[in-house]
Amino acid sequence: MAGAIDQARMKFSNIVNSRSYTRFNQSQNPDGESSRVEVKLAADGEEEMDGTELGPVQHDTYTRSSRSMPWNRWRILVWVCGVLVIFCVGLLIGYSVHHKSESAPCPTAVSAIQEVPLNYPPSLDWSDLVTLLNDNLSSKAIEEKLGELSQSDRKAGSFLDNKLADNIHDIFTKLNMDPWVDEHFVKLQFPDRSKPNKVLFGPTNIGSPNGFLAYSETGCKEGRVVYANYGQLSDLETVKNGTYRLSLNGSVVLMRAGKISMAQKVMNAAKMGAIAALIYPDPADYRNISENTDLYGHVHLGSGDPYTPGFPSFNHTQFPPAKSSGLPGILAQTITANMAQAIFEKMGGDDAPDRFKGDFPSYKLGREGDNVTVVVNNNLVDTKIHNVFGVIKGYVDPDRYVVIGAQRDSLSLGYAKSTVGTTLLLELARVFTELKKSGFRPKRSIVFASWTAGDFGNVGVTEWLEGYWASLDRKAFTYISLDGVVTGAGSFRASASPLLHTLLQKTLGKVKSPGSKLSLLQSYGGVLPPLLKTMQMDDGAYPFLAMSGIPSVSFSFVSPPASAEEYFGPILDDKAHLDSLTNKKVVELSVLAAQVAGQMALRLVHDHILRLDVTKYSDVITNHVNAIIQHVDALKNNNVIKTESLSTKWLNAAKSSYSRAAASLNTDIGNTDLNDMEMCRIINNRIMKVEQNFLSPYVSLRDVPFRHIFLGDGWQTTTDLEKYLGDVHENKTSFDIDQVLNKFALLTWTIQGCANDLAGDIWSLDNEI
């Protein structure tokens, strides 16, 4: 009440002696939400009120006479009454203004995306929201879009790829999603059709395959052919250091596809001294493809444009001449199964080990004189590519967003690899727009992204991440990949950050299997861990997770055994082939995939607290630290020199610090008033930093792009340290105490730094280490 009286006095004073005035304009939110109060101060002169321009304001003035007029009682009484009336009117006005100013939210510019009222209206109930999502998903719309997008092949940067990008942009525009385009100028490699690649065994021409491996070295090389199974390091070591003792220096290594990526195979062969690599599909691994199927891929053991490592490929940037360390630097070529069999028939030498054998009649390791010539004439082409984006903006934290993405390019038809994902991207964009019209008010934004050049090693994705890393840092909090979400039927697999395991499990527990009362989770065994696999470098979500520290998930309905390797041969990646693998349930499975991705995204933008489970990393850290401790104990038991100074005490302490910080955060969440938006934002900030804090700060992004200490690739990872200690134990390498102590220190402080940041305020940090 005292405040109201003070305001009344102030208004009265302003009325009597005003040189300016204050007005409150209560305006309506464009979406029909709660009002906001707009405070405007009028200066001397002119002012607008409610759209009407006023003339000059006449200020109250008076002239004091040099002689006082006599005052009588009636005059005094009238004057006092007038003052009382004005005071009461001012009191009522002050109270009214004070009441409105308390009830109306203050305008707060949360970000450049959108001004958001703090008095955020309640969104739809979760169960109603899920029902609306499922009801709006249209199998007919998905079927029509699949037919529309599967009619032609789309090589990255081609006319058809750019045309599809324009169509997606138009669709986002019609959905009022404020679309924008991201351009990059990258180097892509394609075969030279006037000078085809070829393979010869001695003077005999084995063939000229149509398939190719992008970013191979070009030229002509001849060397002794050696068969090395899948090209894993263990396979190559068996050939080189086992009972066979075959030299791989200057050799052409023949490998079958599968188990690991083509880039890993070629890099492994290069590390062994090979000059060329040949990769073929063995009928034992690919039952449903013909012997003349061509394979496509790339050899860059990394992602993005390998000629601008660590840099975004913008046209206005001056790039120094550079190559990614992930380029193997040797010739690499895919061949058909028929060509591989022709080579095996001519090879001699020892019989291959049983685990090396597939479905061919003969498998030899090779002998002196079995020379193969590989000719690669690929051309490096400067190409402009386009990523297309649309956004549904949040109402509370519009500067925080979940990204849903799919690649649209393909070296051939790409039905399973890109068409299905692009279809679901557009369908989810439409459905989320309909949800917003029905009253859905996401707290955070949802960005829909159409990538290109995915077949060349996630080039479009990576260049965007490199170009806008400063803008994405601690803003993008989850990535959901739609690439290859349907490659079969009967089983399910997923790769995800541990932060998303709980959300994925609960989502699978809510989505119902068609024609059954069981959930998807129940249909596939009832527990999540058997359905999970480690995310690989060729996964479209991998750059988000391992390079940018953004929790990511990719998943797929697959045919048992869970494998999508048949789609290495894009000539078979068409509608007929996928229909045969799914028993013509592509549309039905696509709807299920949309429900999984859609419900995960909804949870992440609907709830007050982000559904990222930080406790899951406690188990990951514990497993790795325990494995390192076991390796160290084994070395000490074997009396390996200098291991007496090696202590795991501080690494173990950092592990405990993280567990305590994660438990403390859950306690804070339980004690938080979820209507306190500022406190929810503070807690969400702590959650969002976890994945990024597992990117090692001690390595260069340019030299080691996948810096994640648990899920990345390089010397900074826990798996690299574990492997090194294991090799020392098996006498495969010598022990370097300085190297081990350095890795211990860097791992310890990366984990401890994450724990400290998760703990929150500086006075809450765990200093027990």
Side-chain angles (χ1 to χ4, degrees), residues 114 350 494 532 538 660 664 754:
Q114 182 179 351
D350 294 324
L532 295 173
D538 54 355
R660 286 192 294 271
S664 176
C754 182

Short mmCIF file of all heavy atoms in Angstrom, two decimals, residues 114 350 494 532 538 660 664 754:
data_model
loop_
_atom_site.label_atom_id
_atom_site.label_comp_id
_atom_site.label_asym_id
_atom_site.label_seq_id
_atom_site.Cartn_x
_atom_site.Cartn_y
_atom_site.Cartn_z
N GLN A 114 14.15 -14.24 -30.64
CA GLN A 114 12.79 -13.89 -30.33
C GLN A 114 12.72 -13.29 -28.94
O GLN A 114 13.40 -13.73 -28.02
CB GLN A 114 11.90 -15.14 -30.39
CG GLN A 114 10.43 -14.88 -30.12
CD GLN A 114 9.62 -16.15 -30.22
OE1 GLN A 114 10.14 -17.18 -30.65
NE2 GLN A 114 8.38 -16.11 -29.84
N ASP A 350 50.32 -69.45 -49.34
CA ASP A 350 49.68 -70.23 -48.28
C ASP A 350 48.17 -70.04 -48.30
O ASP A 350 47.65 -68.99 -48.69
CB ASP A 350 50.20 -69.79 -46.90
CG ASP A 350 51.68 -70.12 -46.73
OD1 ASP A 350 52.12 -71.16 -47.23
OD2 ASP A 350 52.39 -69.31 -46.07
N ALA A 494 20.91 -48.76 -31.99
CA ALA A 494 21.06 -47.32 -31.77
C ALA A 494 22.47 -47.03 -31.30
O ALA A 494 23.13 -47.87 -30.67
CB ALA A 494 20.04 -46.83 -30.74
N LEU A 532 22.34 -51.27 -28.11
CA LEU A 532 23.28 -50.17 -28.33
C LEU A 532 24.57 -50.64 -28.95
O LEU A 532 25.03 -51.76 -28.69
CB LEU A 532 23.59 -49.47 -26.99
CG LEU A 532 22.44 -48.74 -26.30
CD1 LEU A 532 22.88 -48.26 -24.94
CD2 LEU A 532 21.94 -47.59 -27.15
N ASP A 538 31.68 -42.98 -39.45
CA ASP A 538 30.88 -42.71 -40.64
C ASP A 538 29.42 -42.42 -40.31
O ASP A 538 28.61 -42.19 -41.20
CB ASP A 538 30.97 -43.88 -41.62
CG ASP A 538 30.61 -45.23 -40.99
OD1 ASP A 538 30.39 -45.27 -39.76
OD2 ASP A 538 30.56 -46.23 -41.72
N ARG A 660 30.03 -37.74 -7.52
CA ARG A 660 29.43 -36.89 -6.49
C ARG A 660 28.75 -35.67 -7.11
O ARG A 660 27.67 -35.26 -6.67
CB ARG A 660 30.50 -36.44 -5.50
CG ARG A 660 30.96 -37.52 -4.54
CD ARG A 660 31.81 -36.95 -3.41
NE ARG A 660 33.07 -36.40 -3.89
CZ ARG A 660 34.19 -37.11 -4.01
NH1 ARG A 660 34.20 -38.40 -3.69
NH2 ARG A 660 35.30 -36.54 -4.44
N SER A 664 24.88 -34.79 -6.81
CA SER A 664 24.50 -33.49 -6.26
C SER A 664 23.56 -32.74 -7.18
O SER A 664 22.61 -32.08 -6.72
CB SER A 664 25.76 -32.65 -6.01
OG SER A 664 25.43 -31.36 -5.56
N CYS A 754 35.41 -31.49 -15.79
CA CYS A 754 33.99 -31.71 -16.06
C CYS A 754 33.21 -31.80 -14.75
O CYS A 754 32.11 -31.23 -14.63
CB CYS A 754 33.80 -32.97 -16.89
SG CYS A 754 32.09 -33.31 -17.35
#
